[in-house]
Amino acid sequence: MHYDDNRPDTYWSRAIILVDMNAFFCSVEQMDHPELQGRSIGITNGSQGTCIITSSYEARAYGVRTGIRLKEAQRLCPGFLQVPSHPERYAQISSRIMKALSRITPDMEIFSVDEAFLDVTHCQRLLGTPQQIARLVKQTVLEASGGVLCSVGASGDKTTAKYAAKLQKPNGLTLIPPGRARETLAKVPVTELCGIARGIGRYLAERGVYTCGDMRRLPIGEIGRRFGNPGRRIWLMTQGLDPDPAHTDVAAPKSIGHGKVMPPNTKNRSVIEVFLLHMTEKVAARLRLHHSLIAMEG
Ligand SMILES: [Mg+2]
């Protein structure tokens, strides 16, 4: 075993993988309806829905975004196709994927209906380097789902792994060796990291902290005094040292929710409604997923 936290093709002292299914709802529709493959599609709530819940990469290329009106999507995107949502089908595919991933490692945290963290630190001897395990994860998702692609990020902590997964979409595989996490994040705005809200972003900006690299000028004790342990975690997250473990106890969540950032000063009622609808679909799919996971364990 050769351990080197500075290289992408070696074993690492800690290895976390984040897997994120690409345009998940649309990928399921395109898989179930081959005639939709390669087409610009957007999901609406039933066939009467007037707002876009989520769209395929082909449609995103034309500027179709979550929350816009169906009419606007049709105007932006030639050949745009409206597809009614099938939330139970999305939950079914999701639970098949999660079940298959949990056979790679039980140290897995289901983060949302289409995302999971895998702590593969302790299965490197069995399955290979994080790079090899990341390829196995992609193959597992493809086979378990029947055709859904995913983007995978790997690093030594959850925050950097999640950042890595965002860098190449769709169908990406991005490795940030743990020893390179701090320098890789240095130029990244703090608010781009998952879990750093705008409120804390403003607090940091008032202290001259815009990028993760700027954070080194702010003593960890100062943010700790203001925000407690979550503040200290944020400081560590920006340095590629997120201490948060993969939470495997999915069987008993205290709450199930979903968050989404709305465009600033949104006052349009129908836009607000579609954001609510999108979040409702996500929460409902998560509830169904959770239910089927309990059934799976039982
Ligand atoms: Mg996704």
Side-chain angles (χ1 to χ4, degrees):
M1 297 278 282
H2 181 59
Y3 282 87
D4 185 342
D5 278 352
N6 289 302
R7 287 180 46 172
D9 56 350
T10 51
Y11 299 98
W12 297 342
S13 56
R14 191 169 179 234
I16 308 284
I17 287 175
L18 184 275
V19 51
D20 180 355
M21 270 59 92
N22 297 138
F24 181 55
F25 297 173
C26 289
S27 300
V28 173
E29 296 295 345
Q30 287 175 321
M31 184 173 79
D32 287 349
H33 308 281
E35 70 276 13
L36 299 179
Q37 277 167 21
R39 301 287 302 267
S40 300
I41 66 169
I43 310 281
T44 58
N45 180 31
S47 49
Q48 303 302 311
T50 56
C51 281
I52 304 302
I53 295 168
T54 182
S55 55
S56 66
Y57 281 91
E58 294 85 357
R60 290 179 197 188
Y62 288 94
V64 176
R65 296 277 174 270
T66 293
I68 71 169
R69 316 277 311 180
L70 175 61
K71 281 207 168 63
E72 174 74 355
Q74 288 162 334
R75 191 186 61 77
L76 286 168
C77 181
F80 181 82
L81 284 173
Q82 174 191 19
V83 176
S85 66
H86 298 96
E88 285 175 10
R89 176 71 175 146
Y90 311 148
Q92 180 190 43
I93 298 291
S94 174
S95 74
R96 278 184 203 165
I97 292 171
M98 299 304 177
K99 194 175 171 182
L101 290 175
S102 73
R103 285 195 283 264
I104 293 175
T105 174
D107 296 336
M108 181 175 92
E109 173 180 347
I110 297 173
F111 192 63
S112 77
V113 68
D114 65 344
E115 281 179 65
F117 287 103
L118 285 79
D119 184 339
V120 298
T121 306
H122 304 295
C123 51
Q124 295 179 87
R125 199 178 282 273
L126 186 65
L127 299 173
T129 62
Q131 187 175 46
Q132 289 165 327
I133 302 173
R135 286 199 205 105
L136 173 66
V137 163
K138 287 175 72 83
Q139 192 59 29
T140 300
V141 168
L142 191 65
E143 283 168 12
S145 64
V148 171
L149 298 175
C150 60
S151 289
V152 167
S155 191
D157 69 285
K158 282 166 76 174
T159 297
T160 312
K162 188 153 167 64
Y163 172 77
K166 274 203 304 190
L167 294 180
Q168 293 182 64
K169 283 184 176 184
N171 200 17
L173 196 172
T174 308
L175 300 126
I176 300 178
R180 307 229 170 265
R182 192 168 105 144
E183 64 184 79
T184 306
L185 296 179
K187 290 196 183 88
V188 176
V190 286
T191 49
E192 239 179 70
L193 298 186
C194 176
I196 302 193
R198 300 218 168 162
I200 290 177
R202 274 193 298 275
Y203 163 89
L204 292 173
E206 282 163 13
R207 283 150 187 83
V209 176
Y210 301 95
T211 66
C212 293
D214 294 337
M215 193 70 115
R216 275 171 246 169
R217 297 202 298 264
L218 184 72
I220 187 169
E222 193 173 327
I223 186 170
R225 271 192 298 281
R226 176 70 180 77
F227 294 103
N229 275 337
R232 278 183 280 274
R233 182 189 167 198
I234 283 171
W235 194 94
L236 292 166
M237 281 161 68
T238 61
Q239 305 306 303
L241 297 169
D242 181 7
D244 199 42
H247 299 284
T248 53
D249 51 346
V250 289
K254 290 191 180 67
S255 66
I256 287 175
H258 188 79
K260 195 115 192 137
V261 178
M262 300 222 318
N265 302 317
T266 304
K267 293 197 178 71
N268 186 322
R269 191 188 166 92
S270 61
V271 173
I272 293 169
E273 279 173 358
V274 83
F275 269 86
L276 272 174
L277 180 65
H278 171 81
M279 292 194 285
T280 310
E281 291 249 10
K282 285 273 189 180
V283 169
R286 206 163 296 163
L287 284 165
R288 281 184 291 266
L289 170 66
H290 178 62
H291 183 73
S292 57
L293 286 174
I294 291 170
M296 206 167 81
E297 283 167 7

